[in-house]
Amino acid sequence: MACSEIDMLSDESLEEDIYSDSSDFYVAIKPQGGGIDSLAEFDLTTAAYKVEEGNNGSKYPVDIIMRVDMTIKDVAKRHVLPFLPAKSLMKFRAVSKEWNQWITSPLLAYNQSSTFQKLSGYFYQRLENKDDPPIFLSLHRSANGVPSPSLGFLPEVVKVLSSSSGLLLCQGKDSYYVCNPATKHWKKLPPPQYYHGSDPAVAIAFDPQFNIESFYRVVAAVPVLDHPVVCFEIYCSESDSWRCSPSDCLELENTSLAGGGSYMKGVAYWRNTSSNEVLAFDVKNEVPAVLHVPNIQSEQRGALTQIGDEVCYVTAYNDSGSVFVIDVYGGVDMGLKRSVSVNLGSKKPRTQVLGIPKEECCEVLPCTDRDTVVIHTDTTIYFYHLREQKLETLQSPGRVDTDKRFLPYINSLVMVHNSGE
């Protein structure tokens, strides 16, 4: 999976996005899920299937009821396309007018954003220079990409702050923007009531399943000046307005929070910049909490990421040569749950610092895949799949330093309502 180029979509058809209802609509939305797994128990052959009285058609679930003369290509269009990334789907718009209409329909956008949840790449940006635009690193050039990796379709240069299931939260000079980089649709948020700062602790919270309207929230953790208190201001896309949460956090030893934030399993997270504390906020119930991640050595840089069904804190360090040790911490007490030694390639000579050998620096990047640990070094980004013990690589965009912010991104068709474009 190695690639050295920053990926972008070149399809001219993406310059104009048409979202219209499909005239061929007949798929029912089934809250229980389904997709490919729901088809496994049925024998769907290439022969056309015709629903008539007395043919036991009622035994099929509602979401795959066949129309007259439905063929395998229709099954693929309805039940396979939602499992593909947005860039691949945009290419398939050229198959026919029917496919173009279906791929640009709101229903497919909902289905695809609900079912396709694989990591597609990273938006990263240097923070020291406010004029540097973000850059997109694609994991698969042919399948995943965005038409404007620098987010040039937005009205100003922005700082990327948070990512959630295909949506990006960005900050301009005086405004927040929510956008879908795959479709270039965006929305400028109304101004908040509180002052959030130049690098605010904000996170976008978007759960695509059972959310056909594509509603999302933006949560800002705002420290109260000269007080050991953090309050929360929440933007809701449904009402297009900000409001103050009745919940405050009084438990942080230090209210200095890192800019940006992450969202996993219904909870927003922000790291404390001067301690091992993590501020967590249950977005649905509006309940704050403070987690304590392990104290690690200064050269180690960990990340909160999801392993299986649990949010864990993962660290990595260069043990010797090309051998790296991955430590996974989890549970209420964030105790060590797993430690893995991984050989990340051929042995390389260690760098010299004042004549003393020094191991290669590394950091763990946040990841949306539940079985993958991502390790960023000065030369390479490694993707280690825990279950399969499989290793994949991507060329590093530069040296490991604290000035870069990496946001995991999923190539999604999710719609942004009241779009600026």
Side-chain angles (χ1 to χ4, degrees):
M1 188 180 69
C3 65
S4 59
E5 301 179 38
I6 296 169
D7 190 33
M8 71 166 64
L9 283 173
S10 59
D11 303 286
E12 294 183 359
S13 61
L14 285 179
E15 295 301 319
E16 295 183 2
D17 297 285
I18 306 170
Y19 280 88
S20 60
D21 292 331
S22 174
S23 61
D24 195 41
F25 177 92
Y26 63 92
V27 177
I29 296 171
K30 185 177 180 183
Q32 291 84 352
I36 288 179
D37 292 338
S38 68
L39 299 180
E41 59 184 293
F42 301 107
D43 182 19
L44 301 177
T45 64
T46 54
Y49 180 84
K50 189 172 182 179
V51 178
E52 297 176 349
E53 284 189 29
N55 70 350
N56 295 322
S58 61
K59 71 179 181 179
Y60 289 86
V62 179
D63 60 339
I64 59 169
I65 289 178
M66 304 298 177
R67 66 180 180 182
V68 174
D69 297 330
M70 187 174 189
T71 63
I72 193 65
K73 72 173 184 179
D74 299 307
V75 176
K77 185 179 75 171
R78 299 290 170 166
H79 301 286
V80 175
L81 293 188
F83 288 84
L84 301 179
K87 180 176 180 179
S88 296
L89 290 173
M90 290 300 185
K91 294 178 179 178
F92 291 146
R93 289 173 59 179
V95 171
S96 65
K97 290 183 178 179
E98 182 184 9
W99 276 51
N100 177 65
Q101 188 176 34
W102 172 235
I103 290 171
T104 57
S105 70
L107 182 59
L108 181 67
Y110 165 71
N111 287 338
Q112 190 268 351
S113 63
S114 299
T115 55
F116 183 78
Q117 290 294 309
K118 291 185 64 65
L119 178 70
S120 301
Y122 284 91
F123 277 93
Y124 80 95
Q125 186 176 28
R126 297 192 67 89
L127 302 179
E128 63 180 9
N129 190 342
K130 296 181 180 180
D131 295 327
D132 283 351
I135 299 173
F136 181 62
L137 283 175
S138 175
L139 270 63
H140 303 279
R141 294 185 62 244
S142 60
N144 300 308
V146 295
S148 179
S150 65
L151 306 182
F153 55 88
L154 293 176
E156 58 180 318
V157 177
V158 295
K159 179 190 299 183
V160 290
L161 296 173
S162 183
S163 173
S164 182
S165 296
L167 294 181
L168 285 186
L169 174 65
C170 308
Q171 182 187 35
K173 184 178 180 181
D174 299 307
S175 304
Y176 288 121
Y177 299 91
V178 170
C179 69
N180 181 342
T183 62
K184 299 198 299 183
H185 283 196
W186 58 273
K187 176 179 172 57
K188 180 179 178 180
L189 304 190
Q193 302 175 42
Y194 294 160
Y195 174 67
H196 294 176
S198 59
D199 193 26
V202 291
I204 184 169
F206 172 57
D207 295 303
Q209 290 190 341
F210 320 133
N211 182 9
I212 194 169
E213 300 91 348
S214 301
F215 292 137
Y216 56 88
R217 295 182 183 181
V218 174
V219 184
V222 185
V224 178
L225 187 63
D226 298 328
H227 291 80
V229 179
V230 176
C231 59
F232 300 91
E233 190 171 11
I234 302 172
Y235 169 82
C236 180
S237 64
E238 186 173 5
S239 61
D240 192 27
S241 62
W242 293 86
R243 64 175 178 82
C244 300
S245 171
S247 302
D248 295 330
C249 179
L250 308 173
E251 303 172 13
L252 281 174
E253 296 178 5
N254 189 311
T255 57
S256 298
L257 300 173
S262 57
Y263 176 76
M264 291 174 284
K265 294 180 68 66
V267 180
Y269 297 92
W270 301 273
R271 287 292 306 274
N272 194 308
T273 58
S274 58
S275 71
N276 65 332
E277 294 177 315
V278 174
L279 176 60
F281 185 78
D282 184 325
V283 176
K284 180 179 180 180
N285 300 307
E286 299 188 22
V287 177
V290 176
L291 306 177
H292 291 83
V293 296
N295 284 312
I296 58 177
Q297 299 178 7
S298 59
E299 63 269 17
Q300 292 179 253
R301 296 178 61 191
L304 285 169
T305 190
Q306 189 170 341
I307 303 296
D309 292 326
E310 183 179 10
V311 175
C312 298
Y313 185 67
V314 181
T315 66
Y317 63 91
N318 190 187
D319 187 33
S320 63
S322 59
V323 177
F324 286 69
V325 176
I326 299 171
D327 290 331
V328 180
Y329 301 86
V332 177
D333 61 347
M334 281 293 172
L336 181 62
K337 301 188 67 175
R338 187 173 182 181
S339 186
V340 182
S341 293
V342 183
N343 192 323
L344 296 184
S346 59
K347 188 170 183 177
K348 299 181 286 274
R350 294 181 292 180
T351 57
Q352 300 284 325
V353 178
L354 300 177
I356 302 174
K358 184 181 184 299
E359 304 298 345
E360 187 173 10
C361 294
C362 71
E363 65 177 337
V364 174
L365 300 183
C367 181
T368 58
D369 293 350
R370 300 183 178 187
D371 184 53
T372 305
V373 174
V374 183
I375 301 175
H376 173 217
T377 70
D378 292 341
T379 59
T380 309
I381 296 180
Y382 299 94
F383 299 83
Y384 182 69
H385 305 282
L386 293 167
R387 186 179 307 154
E388 301 176 4
Q389 299 183 8
K390 178 182 176 183
L391 187 67
E392 297 178 288
T393 62
L394 182 70
Q395 182 173 321
S396 171
R399 297 184 60 184
V400 176
D401 62 60
T402 57
D403 187 55
K404 289 194 187 81
R405 175 177 291 154
F406 287 84
L407 296 181
Y409 168 69
I410 295 173
N411 209 207
S412 170
L413 288 177
V414 56
M415 300 184 68
V416 181
H417 297 286
N418 299 318
S419 174
E421 180 174 286

